[in-house]
Amino acid sequence: MSGDLRIRGFERKHPVHLLVNGKPVTAYEGETLHAALIAAGILSLKTSRVTQEPRGVFCGMGVCHECLVTINGVTGIRACMTLVQDGMKVETHEP
Ligand code: FES
């Protein structure tokens, strides 16, 4: 397979600005936080307590809870089920 793989007719909406672990990340209105984090190259959201290996989004549909993050000080929020909002402060690797 080769060539242009973009989805025809898809347009990004207005940019929104997040702080992820203290670093600025630009996302787009209508995206999930999960999508914005992946687009920013942030794939590891926590570390396995058993193997110490990085973990991240698995199901992408709210079932597995592998994507829990802290948003504006509230812990345990699923990144895959949360739409980005301008000014969000996100912390990964919650305790
Ligand atoms: S990735 Fe499974 S609940 Fe978010």
Side-chain angles (χ1 to χ4, degrees):
M1 181 172 13
S2 64
D4 186 357
L5 300 176
R6 289 180 292 178
I7 299 171
R8 302 276 181 238
F10 176 80
E11 288 183 34
R12 282 190 146 162
K13 296 181 183 174
H14 304 288
V16 297
H17 304 285
L18 321 174
L19 269 184
V20 180
N21 300 327
K23 296 180 182 169
V25 168
T26 299
Y28 294 88
E29 192 179 297
E31 288 182 333
T32 63
L33 179 57
H34 147 215
L37 293 174
I38 289 176
I42 301 168
L43 304 179
S44 172
L45 302 181
K46 60 184 179 179
T47 304
S48 167
R49 291 181 188 161
V50 177
T51 65
Q52 308 307 313
E53 293 177 347
R55 301 184 70 97
V57 170
F58 181 67
C59 73
M61 59 182 190
V63 176
C64 73
H65 291 206
E66 290 290 332
C67 64
L68 297 181
V69 294
T70 299
I71 300 176
N72 298 334
V74 179
T75 60
I77 299 179
R78 291 171 292 176
C80 71
M81 301 300 290
T82 303
L83 295 178
V84 293
Q85 292 182 352
D86 199 40
M88 262 184 172
K89 291 183 180 142
V90 180
E91 299 290 332
T92 63
H93 295 269
E94 65 185 35

